[in-house]
Amino acid sequence: FRVEELQARPGWNSVSAVRHHEIHEMDSSIILQPGPAALSDGIAAIREIIAQWQAKKTSATISP
């Protein structure tokens, strides 16, 4: 996955996550494993990405 290739696609600049460089690649071994672990591990990985994003947004709001 190459972020710059995604950003270069026509129309993708209108996506907020692309404009703000909030594109996150998820390790395929997490979501492509067999069984329910793909869901539980995948959700945990997504939760971590969201927590990091939220912390970054909160610190940006608090900073002078």
Side-chain angles (χ1 to χ4, degrees), residues 2-16:
R2 297 184 190 273
V3 174
E4 60 277 0
E5 288 181 15
L6 176 71
Q7 293 169 323
R9 292 178 182 172
W12 281 81
N13 283 347
S14 64
V15 177
S16 177

Side-chain angles (χ1 to χ4, degrees), residues 1 9 11 21:
F1 177 74
R9 292 178 182 172
H21 307 285

Side-chain angles (χ1 to χ4, degrees), residues 24-31 38 41-47 49:
H24 303 274
E25 182 178 11
M26 188 174 294
D27 186 348
S28 62
S29 68
I30 294 173
I31 58 172
D41 294 354
I43 289 171
I46 291 169
R47 184 180 295 142
I49 290 168

